[in-house]
Amino acid sequence: MPSYSQEINGDLSHSDNNGYSANKKDEEKSGDTKYISSDSEANKAPTGLNAGQRLAFALRDFLGPPNMVTEEGGPSPSSLSQPLPLPFIDENIDSEDATQSEDELPRCRETDEVLNNAACRLRRWRAASRKLRRPRIIDNLCTDDSGGPTRNDGHTDLADRLRSLAAAGSMSASAGELLSLAPPPPAATAPPSPSCLLTPSLSEQSTAEYFGSSPECCADNISLELSTSVVFPVPPPGPRYKLATEGTIKICCFQHTRTVVDKILATKFLRRWESHVLCLLEDHVISKTPSGFLERPLSYSCMQEIYCISRWDPARKYCLRIVMPHGSLLLQANDAYTRDQWYYSIVWRRNMIRYRNFLTKSVRKELVMKELKNMVDFAMTTPLQDESVTRAPLQILTSLLSENMESPDWEEWAESATNVAAPLLAERCVNGELCAMLARLCRRRPRAAPLPALAPSVRRVLMRNVDFGRAPNARQFVREYISALSSHNSGSSLVRRFVEVTHGSRAVCPHPRAAPNLVAVALAAIDDYYRECTTPHQCEDREEDIMCFADILEHMSEYEDWLVVVASILQPVPFCAAALKCPNVAKRLGTFLKAMSEDARCPVHSCVAPANAARPSPPSWLRVTGPSNPLIALPQKQLCELWGNMMKTLLNCCMKRKSFLQSMCKQLPDFLVVALTEHPAALEALCLMLEWEVASGDQIQLEIIAALQGTELGQEYYKDLCKRQKSLQILQSEGGPTRLALPVRATDADVAALLEAGALGSLECLSLAFTSVTSDCAYHLIKLPSLRYLNLWSTKFGDSGLELIAEHLTRLQVLNLCETPVSDKGVEALSGLSSLRNVNLNSTKLSSEAFEILRQRLPQLQDYDVRYTEAW
């Protein structure tokens, strides 16, 4: 490429003899346009151009130095502040009809002609390259019709420039598509597998969408607008290939490199072919049988050009040509798919070696960044899909960032490299060493870290099945990224937006590992900070740096699907005492506990109860928030309301059990304190303790009665309890029938009305077979302590009712549950009935494991029926 000025006075056109010649008519039309060097900096291509003009604009450097203006003083195409509407290549514009508005910049006619001529040349060049091969086209640029060297220095320099760019592989995706003279054919013999189909990119989300209305953390307003229109490069449509490592290939060698090869390929016969088992190693290609054409290893650095050759004879041979300094090699495959696979594999290894050598040896920052961008574009557009293909560019990026880590400008260097490699980080899983360096960048320069570039990588770490125990650097990377988000002016909104994007716009997060990983990061950060703190706790200013992780737990409770996950992870309580005593942490945990207590799902609100752990007294949120001796720093009024709401949800759903109230006897002071605030749940629980005789001892019963009579609402609850007790005494008095059976259409209301009829103290046998009763009738059946035979055949009596009668009907001997919806959960509760002798579990959901446990716990069980179950 000339360094000062050049004269463009020729055009390329396809001739009948497969050659190129200068078109004199085009020279007269285009005119002589001279360029002189300038220091003006080239900008990006203006908007509003068609496809051909954009390609021409992208390759305008091939026609002259990029920084040039015309001698007449007109602006160059790259220096225009506003895009100029240029015509199509084949469109004729009448200069007399062309109008120009006052706001439009004066058009440079010379610039339009140069761009149109360049686009025309490039289009003709691409059309001709499908028939000819690249070396011949380039050679024709350097020779005239007579075979001698041409005098057109511009064309010779253009050919050299194309050769150097092709050998270096530094052209962009559009330029590579335009300048490759023999690309692989789009059709292949082997169809792409379903696993090779492209998935939606994680990086398609723009910076504005990710950070909402807080762009100050990533860029100014101008760069923010530009980032919304950036599209990362993607592989071309077509089949996907695995990286070839070994295979049988036929090889033919020529001692020619240029146009002579084209003539040989046009002949009917070629020289002999040799079969070799080739192995693609890291630095060179070897044959397992080193002899003949491949007696010595073939180094990637010696390969000047690599391209595919279309079939040229009826035999339909699929070949790949490798141009060497002193000859050429033809690699023949069995089909087009295998040929393309070897082509992309060799090009991949060759370019990776070149990128690795250049990026590790070059010291100029602008050159390194440019070459790094080329590597990223190449890695993103290759059709190869393999683990090594994913790992190699990241290893080069890691080696680039690991150099000069102790230098004072390392953060600036790492920030620039991360911005350039953003498409690669968005589509590839970062390794542990790279995570450590990115975490260091976020820690040292939180307000200057390239957060938009790192956001897809953080989301990928959270959404994939990552074991933070084996990958501590990944967890540290996510932690430092969240800390960097919170350090900005609108840190709270950024953290909320981060949680929102991680969850997604659906009602249910499609990534099951995202919530556990995010909770693990938040808990680890809070525990690391408060573990070494001394008690009593004293608030400090540096605590604000850790509050973002407590905010994450609060924001995650806003999603119903994540609330189940977070609640199960936080049972038992994983926070240390210092963290719970911090008012800031306690305030955020209070919001989370409120969401748990108000949720109607059993897997959520049951997590506030004591966990089923191996230790005798596992911690629970009911113990932490107990108003009598709270372990969390919340106001007393809020604690009473929160604790009462927890108890209300439990009693109304799944914990209205005698065993649960017995386990809560240790927290009787909490019931008394909350009952004095007239909370209905605490008053109901105290009445159940008296009714079911849970509270043992006269002193405890007197305390409960005093608490109930201390408030007006409590007095009403105590009066209702006394009425129920009188009715219970009448019901359990001696007399009445010993056997009773309800009609087929009986319901739960009929059972309740029956028990209010009079004394049933002598009732020992009750049959509810083929009725419509449910588990709700169990609250009435437990009032019959003398019951020994209970028939529930073909009813809707379930596990919850079975658990209730197993706690109260201790004299039960015969139980018929045939064709009921009971499962292993309810059957396990029967192990507490020590007097049970006969049980019928025919046609239930009983499993063999649950039945074996039941037999071991009830050795006195004499007769049982488990037909049509898994235990049969």
Side-chain angles (χ1 to χ4, degrees):
M1 185 173 60
S3 58
Y4 293 99
S5 64
Q6 75 176 27
E7 183 177 357
I8 302 175
N9 54 7
D11 195 1
L12 301 176
S13 61
H14 179 58
S15 61
D16 296 334
N17 56 356
N18 295 336
Y20 285 91
S21 62
N23 194 336
K24 296 182 180 180
K25 295 181 180 180
D26 293 338
E27 295 178 4
E28 296 175 359
K29 291 182 180 180
S30 61
D32 297 337
T33 304
K34 296 183 179 180
Y35 294 86
I36 59 175
S37 60
S38 174
D39 295 333
S40 62
E41 187 176 1
N43 298 326
K44 297 182 179 180
T47 58
L49 302 182
N50 56 46
Q53 292 168 349
R54 284 197 301 269
L55 291 176
F57 213 107
L59 298 175
R60 65 188 185 277
D61 293 342
F62 296 139
L63 304 177
N67 300 331
M68 288 189 176
V69 295
T70 57
E71 288 184 346
E72 290 79 8
S76 63
S78 60
S79 62
L80 295 177
S81 60
Q82 298 181 359
L84 294 179
L86 299 180
F88 289 93
I89 297 176
D90 299 329
E91 182 181 359
N92 295 325
I93 294 183
D94 190 0
S95 59
E96 297 179 358
D97 297 337
T99 60
Q100 183 175 0
S101 62
E102 298 178 358
D103 300 335
E104 191 178 5
L105 293 177
R107 176 177 296 182
C108 181
R109 182 173 300 177
E110 291 79 8
T111 301
D112 295 346
E113 293 178 355
V114 169
L115 289 178
N116 291 333
N117 291 337
C120 187
R121 291 190 186 109
L122 293 173
R123 192 177 70 171
R124 292 175 182 173
W125 196 341
R126 181 173 58 184
S129 66
R130 297 172 183 171
K131 299 181 180 180
L132 303 178
R133 298 281 77 80
R134 179 172 189 149
R136 182 164 186 175
I137 293 178
I138 299 178
D139 292 338
N140 286 331
L141 293 176
C142 303
T143 57
D144 53 13
D145 296 336
S146 61
T150 183
R151 295 182 181 179
N152 192 346
D153 296 336
H155 287 176
T156 304
D157 185 76
L158 177 59
D160 295 337
R161 177 73 181 275
L162 290 175
R163 287 197 191 99
S164 62
L165 288 177
S170 60
M171 63 190 77
S172 61
S174 59
E177 179 186 357
L178 187 65
L179 295 178
S180 61
L181 302 179
T189 57
S193 60
S195 60
C196 296
L197 298 179
L198 294 178
T199 57
S201 173
L202 291 176
S203 60
E204 291 177 354
Q205 189 174 25
S206 62
T207 305
E209 293 177 349
Y210 190 92
F211 290 100
S213 60
S214 303
E216 66 272 6
C217 66
C218 51
D220 53 1
N221 295 333
I222 299 178
S223 60
L224 182 64
E225 294 176 358
L226 293 177
S227 64
T228 57
S229 60
V230 173
V231 178
F232 291 154
V234 295
R240 299 292 176 260
Y241 312 92
K242 289 184 67 66
L243 184 65
T245 57
E246 183 178 331
T248 302
I249 298 292
K250 292 183 179 181
I251 298 178
C252 184
C253 182
F254 297 101
Q255 299 299 325
H256 309 281
T257 58
R258 299 302 175 191
T259 56
V260 180
V261 176
D262 299 331
K263 297 179 180 179
I264 294 176
L265 293 179
T267 60
K268 186 175 182 181
F269 301 100
L270 294 175
R271 294 184 179 182
R272 62 183 179 90
W273 294 86
E274 295 181 356
S275 295
H276 289 268
V277 180
L278 295 186
C279 297
L280 299 184
L281 303 181
E282 293 294 333
D283 299 327
H284 50 269
V285 182
I286 64 172
S287 174
K288 285 193 172 182
T289 58
S291 60
F293 298 142
L294 285 181
E295 183 177 0
R296 297 179 180 179
L298 182 62
S299 176
Y300 296 115
S301 59
C302 298
M303 300 178 183
Q304 294 181 351
E305 295 182 45
I306 304 172
Y307 57 88
C308 297
I309 300 177
S310 302
R311 51 195 182 213
W312 66 89
D313 60 350
R316 296 188 177 182
K317 296 179 180 179
Y318 300 93
C319 294
L320 177 68
R321 180 181 175 185
I322 302 177
V323 179
M324 307 296 292
H326 303 290
S328 299
L329 281 178
L330 290 183
L331 277 63
Q332 179 182 346
N334 296 330
D335 49 65
Y337 186 87
T338 306
R339 178 199 62 186
D340 298 346
Q341 181 184 12
W342 279 83
Y343 167 76
Y344 289 115
S345 300
I346 294 176
V347 171
W348 171 266
R349 294 188 181 276
R350 173 171 169 263
N351 284 328
M352 285 298 105
I353 292 176
R354 188 185 65 83
Y355 288 131
R356 184 181 295 107
N357 295 335
F358 184 87
L359 293 175
T360 55
K361 295 180 181 179
S362 181
V363 295
R364 295 182 59 183
K365 181 178 179 180
E366 58 274 8
L367 293 181
V368 172
M369 292 298 114
K370 181 179 179 181
E371 197 69 12
L372 180 61
K373 184 181 185 304
N374 294 334
M375 184 193 71
V376 171
D377 293 342
F378 175 72
M380 297 296 296
T381 55
T382 180
L384 294 176
Q385 289 186 348
D386 194 82
E387 183 180 357
S388 58
V389 174
T390 303
R391 184 173 58 252
L394 292 178
Q395 289 179 347
I396 296 176
L397 178 62
T398 304
S399 302
L400 181 63
L401 293 179
S402 61
E403 297 179 356
N404 303 324
M405 293 187 62
E406 303 302 329
S407 61
D409 59 342
W410 180 87
E411 288 80 7
E412 182 179 358
W413 169 269
E415 182 181 351
S416 302
T418 304
N419 283 324
V420 173
L424 185 63
L425 296 176
E427 297 293 338
R428 304 292 188 267
C429 294
V430 293
N431 51 33
E433 186 178 358
L434 184 58
C435 283
M437 285 184 287
L438 295 179
R440 179 187 179 186
L441 176 62
C442 294
R443 181 173 59 257
R444 292 195 172 186
R445 300 183 65 180
R447 299 182 67 87
L451 300 183
L454 299 178
S457 299
V458 173
R459 292 169 55 196
R460 183 176 288 272
V461 170
L462 292 175
M463 295 174 183
R464 296 304 185 267
N465 190 4
V466 177
D467 185 3
F468 286 143
R470 298 182 179 181
N473 291 331
R475 183 179 65 184
Q476 188 68 21
F477 171 43
V478 178
R479 174 179 174 179
E480 298 297 342
Y481 174 83
I482 297 174
S483 299
L485 281 180
S486 63
S487 65
H488 292 83
N489 297 334
S490 57
S492 58
S493 61
L494 293 179
V495 173
R496 176 182 288 274
R497 178 59 178 159
F498 169 74
V499 176
E500 180 182 352
V501 172
T502 305
H503 180 274
S505 58
R506 304 178 183 177
V508 178
C509 180
H511 307 281
R513 291 296 306 172
N517 288 336
L518 190 57
V519 174
V521 172
L523 291 180
I526 295 175
D527 186 76
D528 290 345
Y529 182 84
Y530 289 101
R531 181 62 61 181
E532 303 299 332
C533 293
T534 59
T535 54
H537 174 75
Q538 295 181 356
C539 294
E540 299 176 356
D541 294 338
R542 59 191 185 97
E543 279 186 347
E544 295 297 329
D545 299 336
I546 211 68
M547 288 302 107
C548 58
F549 299 100
D551 290 335
I552 287 179
L553 298 178
E554 181 181 0
H555 299 331
M556 293 182 70
S557 64
E558 300 175 1
Y559 302 94
E560 294 184 357
D561 59 323
W562 276 6
L563 186 58
V564 181
V565 179
V566 180
S568 60
I569 295 177
L570 299 187
Q571 183 197 30
V573 182
F575 298 97
C576 58
L580 294 175
K581 289 296 183 181
C582 177
N584 297 324
V585 177
K587 179 181 178 181
R588 291 160 173 83
L589 290 180
T591 305
F592 167 72
L593 295 176
K594 182 180 179 182
M596 288 178 59
S597 63
E598 295 176 353
D599 198 286
R601 295 170 294 177
C602 288
V604 178
H605 59 246
S606 61
C607 291
V608 302
N612 296 324
R615 50 185 181 273
S617 299
S620 64
W621 289 111
L622 286 175
R623 175 66 185 92
V624 170
T625 58
S628 61
N629 186 18
L631 302 179
I632 188 171
L634 287 176
Q636 184 70 14
K637 183 178 180 181
Q638 184 179 356
L639 281 175
C640 293
E641 183 180 1
L642 179 61
W643 197 88
N645 291 337
M646 292 180 182
M647 191 60 59
K648 176 183 178 181
T649 307
L650 293 175
L651 294 179
N652 291 339
C653 181
C654 54
M655 290 297 178
K656 197 173 183 179
R657 300 287 183 272
K658 186 176 181 180
S659 58
F660 172 69
L661 294 178
Q662 288 175 347
S663 65
M664 295 297 296
C665 286
K666 295 180 180 180
Q667 293 187 241
L668 183 59
D670 297 326
F671 285 96
L672 300 178
V673 172
V674 179
L676 293 177
T677 62
E678 296 188 346
H679 199 286
L683 298 175
E684 181 183 0
L686 291 178
C687 292
L688 288 176
M689 287 182 181
L690 294 177
E691 182 179 0
W692 292 347
E693 298 181 357
V694 174
S696 60
D698 296 338
Q699 183 63 31
I700 296 179
Q701 293 180 358
L702 291 176
E703 292 179 0
I704 295 176
I705 294 174
L708 290 175
Q709 293 180 346
T711 59
E712 295 182 0
L713 184 60
Q715 292 176 4
E716 296 179 2
Y717 272 82
Y718 184 67
K719 290 180 182 180
D720 294 339
L721 174 61
C722 293
K723 293 180 181 179
R724 292 199 305 268
Q725 289 295 94
K726 292 180 181 179
S727 301
L728 184 61
Q729 292 176 1
I730 298 175
L731 177 64
Q732 295 179 352
S733 61
E734 295 182 359
T738 58
R739 294 176 178 270
L740 188 62
L742 268 67
V744 176
R745 297 182 179 180
T747 61
D748 296 335
D750 297 330
V751 176
L754 174 65
L755 297 180
E756 295 177 357
L760 294 175
S762 301
L763 186 62
E764 297 180 356
C765 180
L766 178 62
S767 177
L768 301 176
F770 305 103
T771 60
S772 301
V773 298
T774 63
S775 297
D776 294 337
C777 72
Y779 292 100
H780 305 287
L781 297 179
I782 61 176
K783 299 178 181 179
L784 302 172
S786 301
L787 198 62
R788 296 183 181 182
Y789 178 88
L790 181 59
N791 188 359
L792 296 170
W793 189 358
S794 186
T795 61
K796 299 179 181 179
F797 201 86
D799 293 335
S800 59
L802 198 59
E803 291 175 352
L804 191 60
I805 66 174
E807 293 179 348
H808 295 269
L809 301 181
T810 57
R811 297 182 181 181
L812 197 61
Q813 296 180 1
V814 180
L815 181 61
N816 190 349
L817 297 171
C818 180
E819 297 182 6
T820 56
V822 296
S823 61
D824 294 346
K825 182 180 179 182
V827 173
E828 291 177 359
L830 295 179
S831 59
L833 295 176
S834 58
S835 60
L836 190 62
R837 298 293 185 270
N838 191 331
V839 61
N840 188 347
L841 297 172
N842 190 329
S843 302
T844 59
K845 300 179 182 179
L846 176 68
S847 65
S848 57
E849 294 81 3
F851 181 65
E852 290 298 329
I853 296 175
L854 182 63
R855 291 184 59 186
Q856 293 176 4
R857 295 181 180 179
L858 296 178
Q860 72 280 4
L861 194 62
Q862 299 174 357
D863 191 9
Y864 49 84
D865 186 359
V866 292
R867 290 177 297 174
Y868 306 107
T869 63
E870 293 183 4
W872 186 28

